[in-house]
């Protein structure tokens, strides 16, 4: 049976851009490229997810992570 990649969604709406989603995307790309995560995840940029006041937003395994940063992202990816 094939191994499927998991999806990581990052909001790139205007309010999330103001709160640092570009930095979060850059950090996510770096984390995904490391050996222990390589090839397991697909990073997807989305439009507004309607969590504007608590951005940047990351969605992984149907879990919405508000005010996400590199530390929270690593914790969630290592858990899953």
């Amino acid at each position: 049976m094939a191994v499927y990649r998991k999806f990581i969604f990052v909001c790139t709406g205007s309010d999330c851009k103001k709160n640092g989603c570009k930095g979060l995307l850059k950090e996510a790309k770096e984390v995904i490229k490391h050996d222990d995560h390589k090839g397991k995840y697909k990073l997807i940029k989305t439009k507004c997810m309607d969590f504007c006041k608590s951005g940047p937003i990351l969605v992984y395994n149907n879990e919405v992570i508000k005010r996400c940063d590199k530390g929270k992202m690593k914790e969630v990816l290592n858990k899953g």
Side-chain angles (χ1 to χ4, degrees), residues 25-40:
L25 280 169
K26 186 177 178 181
E27 292 171 351
K29 287 177 185 178
E30 289 174 13
V31 169
I32 290 172
K33 288 181 183 178
H34 288 304
D35 291 334
D36 51 342
H37 296 300
K38 197 168 195 167
K40 294 182 182 179

Side-chain angles (χ1 to χ4, degrees), residues 13-65:
S14 61
D15 284 337
C16 285
K17 281 183 183 174
K18 291 176 191 173
N19 291 329
C21 77
K22 288 186 179 185
L24 182 63
L25 280 169
K26 186 177 178 181
E27 292 171 351
K29 287 177 185 178
E30 289 174 13
V31 169
I32 290 172
K33 288 181 183 178
H34 288 304
D35 291 334
D36 51 342
H37 296 300
K38 197 168 195 167
K40 294 182 182 179
Y41 302 102
K42 171 84 174 156
L43 186 63
I44 299 173
K45 297 183 235 178
T46 67
K47 297 293 181 189
C48 185
M49 292 189 213
D50 290 332
F51 292 101
C52 298
K53 299 298 178 193
S54 52
I57 300 293
L58 183 132
V59 177
Y60 175 72
N61 272 352
N62 296 327
E63 182 180 348
V64 177
I65 298 107

